[in-house]
Amino acid sequence: MLDERQRFLVRYAPDFAPFIVARASGAWLETTEGRRVLDFTSGQICSTIGHNHPHFVAALTRSLESVIHLNAWMLSEPVLDLAEALVRLVPAPLDRVLLLNTGGEANEAALRIAKMHTGRFEVVGLTRSWHGLQAGAASVNLAGGHAGYGPMMPGTFAIPAPYAYRCPVRHCSGTCDCSCLDAGFELIDQQSVGALCAVIVEPILSAGGVIVPPPHYFRRLGQHCADRGMLLIMDEAQTGFGRLGTMFGFELYGVVPDILSVSKTLGGGIPLAAAITSAAIEEDCYRKGFVQVTSHVADPLPAAAGLAVIEVIEREHLVEQARSRGEYLVRRLQELAQRYEQIGDIRGQGLLVGLELVEDRSSKQPAEALAEAVCDECLCQGLSMNIVRAVGGMRNCFRMAPPLSITESEIDTAVTIIDRALQKHL
Ligand SMILES: Cc1ncc(COP(=O)(O)O)c(C=O)c1O
């Protein structure tokens, strides 16, 4: 055991990192032993502006010195400013903001809004997706997390994720023609009790293996929703605020959701989330007695954090940077792929990039042991990366999501470490 005090913690995941972090700055962590580690996961995919950005720290300090927490019915300048700033960033008709703390909570609230507005309760999610651990959100957490926790919400349906590299309906290869989507809705129509309420989706399925739906996917999904009077909820926990090289992921697909859920990347590491919807939906829910009072719904401190994150993203042009640095990262990884047959697929958008390791490109057999060994070796050499733990035992895909402020030279450092780790374990 690394530190005796670990025994006081509930182990919420299989293991902890083999070091204790003392401080963080930009894309780097520093351990208590003085080792530097390049953070290719932006913490828990939150720190898009880099760790401890001075503008962010100053905004939090100012907030700590003025007012931190308030009763839910009292408003403050940061809360009002953040609501206004969010509405400025999203397209019409999204102009009503509910502030919350975590991604799961924002999705839960989005589902509650959708249920109250439509008067229905059936919810559709994509396999391999992750939406949080609150009961409603967890029911559509189809990348895992169901076994052992009792029944999920009645009226939950899954449609297959458009995973073109391994087509879920064994129909396409390499590109997705949306057959999985159409077949999925055929199944839903036959199972529904006539209470279809909403579809909840990530623009890119991150925890499920960085799965990038084809360009026309969400327009077609939107049509399926419209045909059935369902709302489209987009969960941009990881993709919102620049990560994909656009302010929001839905912009890439030419759709506007009925409810937008944002979280992780909004707070820059401080718990902050929001469900954003239209005036028409908000007014209807208000009239019907909608309640979502939570302990921190009106707290100025997290709102100040969100405002500072948005300011840094805009001032430092991090959206554009995510696009160009993402292209650079993919180019560097493609160079590696020319030398390693075991790199089966590289996919992603902006600075959310997946790299799938296989035994060989023709069998596409997931190389799980290799992925584990490479991941451990990278950490030893100073690079922290995730293996995405998707269902079906396939733990062979790295998810790379460095801060959007990452430099080309830091990307070179990461690629060199991955190269050395692959060399060592092949
Ligand atoms: C897309 C997505 N939605 C929701 C969540 C849940 O967010 P939180 O852990 O803040 O509840 C996550 C967490 O990984 C996520 O990736």
Side-chain angles (χ1 to χ4, degrees):
M1 179 169 286
L2 178 81
D3 189 309
E4 269 295 297
R5 292 165 298 174
Q6 276 191 16
R7 72 174 193 277
F8 300 121
L9 292 170
V10 169
R11 286 161 292 181
Y12 45 79
D15 47 24
F16 295 110
F19 50 75
I20 307 286
V21 178
R23 56 182 58 81
S25 173
W28 294 88
L29 311 174
E30 192 184 315
T31 72
T32 46
E33 290 162 344
R35 274 189 63 215
R36 272 161 56 83
V37 177
L38 186 52
D39 183 4
F40 247 49
T41 67
S42 304
Q44 195 68 21
I45 329 276
C46 300
S47 303
T48 51
I49 60 172
H51 292 282
N52 292 47
H53 191 290
H55 183 74
F56 185 66
V57 173
L60 287 173
T61 308
R62 273 197 309 278
S63 182
L64 286 168
E65 286 166 352
S66 48
V67 51
I68 297 169
H69 165 78
L70 286 172
N71 185 286
W73 83 304
M74 291 183 192
L75 297 178
S76 60
E77 292 293 337
V79 163
L80 294 167
D81 285 346
L82 179 60
E84 188 178 5
L86 288 171
V87 168
R88 177 175 56 77
L89 290 180
V90 295
L94 299 173
D95 59 1
R96 294 292 186 271
V97 175
L98 173 64
L99 295 180
L100 302 146
N101 300 113
T102 63
E105 197 193 353
N107 291 331
E108 198 76 28
L111 291 169
R112 283 163 62 81
I113 290 171
K115 287 175 187 175
M116 183 148 272
H117 177 62
T118 60
R120 308 188 209 138
F121 67 94
E122 290 176 320
V123 176
V124 176
L126 264 57
T127 59
R128 309 181 72 93
S129 56
W130 188 270
H131 297 294
L133 289 171
Q134 283 80 354
S139 299
V140 276
N141 241 5
L142 298 155
H146 283 194
Y149 305 103
M152 292 293 125
M153 298 297 278
T156 303
F157 300 110
I159 54 177
Y163 183 18
Y165 185 63
R166 301 175 193 274
C167 175
V169 292
R170 313 292 185 264
H171 173 71
C172 304
S173 181
T175 54
C176 171
D177 72 1
C178 293
S179 295
C180 52
L181 176 60
D182 298 340
F185 269 93
E186 244 181 81
L187 288 174
I188 286 161
D189 287 338
Q190 292 178 44
Q191 295 171 83
S192 166
V193 295
L196 288 171
C197 165
V199 176
I200 180 164
V201 278
E202 299 163 78
I204 289 184
L205 289 83
S206 179
V210 192
I211 292 166
V212 186
H216 47 294
Y217 187 83
F218 289 106
R219 278 201 300 276
R220 190 132 159 186
L221 175 59
Q223 191 55 54
H224 279 295
C225 287
D227 291 347
R228 293 161 180 82
M230 302 172 81
L231 298 190
L232 178 62
I233 302 171
M234 290 191 96
D235 175 0
E236 299 238 14
Q238 298 196 15
T239 53
F241 306 101
R243 177 151 300 285
L244 303 185
T246 50
M247 188 56 85
F248 296 100
F250 63 75
E251 294 168 27
L252 291 166
Y253 291 95
V255 292
V256 177
D258 297 292
I259 309 175
L260 172 64
S261 169
V262 289
S263 49
K264 290 175 179 287
T265 53
L266 174 59
I270 295 291
L272 176 65
I276 308 174
T277 191
S278 63
I281 292 177
E282 191 271 345
E283 273 159 25
D284 180 54
C285 288
Y286 181 72
R287 203 175 36 80
K288 291 172 176 164
F290 181 71
V291 173
Q292 190 77 27
V293 185
T294 59
S295 300
H296 303 289
V297 69
D299 279 1
L301 178 74
L307 277 169
V309 167
I310 293 170
E311 280 160 11
V312 172
I313 287 171
E314 291 188 324
R315 276 188 207 168
E316 299 186 2
H317 309 290
L318 292 184
V319 178
E320 295 75 12
Q321 184 151 314
R323 202 175 315 141
S324 59
R325 298 284 147 81
E327 282 164 11
Y328 183 74
L329 172 60
V330 167
R331 226 174 25 252
R332 294 298 328 272
L333 293 172
Q334 279 165 347
E335 283 164 24
L336 279 191
Q338 283 170 14
R339 290 195 284 118
Y340 296 105
E341 162 80 4
Q342 290 77 8
I343 296 181
D345 197 26
I346 298 166
R347 51 183 180 254
Q349 189 75 38
L351 276 172
L352 182 59
V353 176
L355 183 151
E356 199 167 317
L357 289 180
V358 292
E359 300 295 344
D360 59 80
R361 286 186 191 147
S362 48
S363 76
K364 293 187 182 175
Q365 186 63 32
E368 292 182 275
L370 177 65
E372 199 78 47
V374 168
C375 195
D376 290 350
E377 185 63 32
C378 285
L379 195 58
C380 284
Q381 297 198 27
L383 173 67
S384 166
M385 274 196 312
N386 260 158
I387 299 181
V388 179
R389 292 170 200 275
V391 277
M394 290 205 322
R395 289 161 51 208
N396 65 321
C397 180
F398 292 117
R399 172 180 50 185
M400 301 178 201
L404 311 187
S405 51
I406 193 102
T407 63
E408 289 193 355
S409 126
E410 287 166 338
I411 290 174
D412 289 341
T413 302
V415 174
T416 304
I417 292 175
I418 297 168
D419 188 4
R420 277 199 232 124
L422 279 165
Q423 258 175 51
K424 180 163 175 185
H425 289 280
L426 281 175

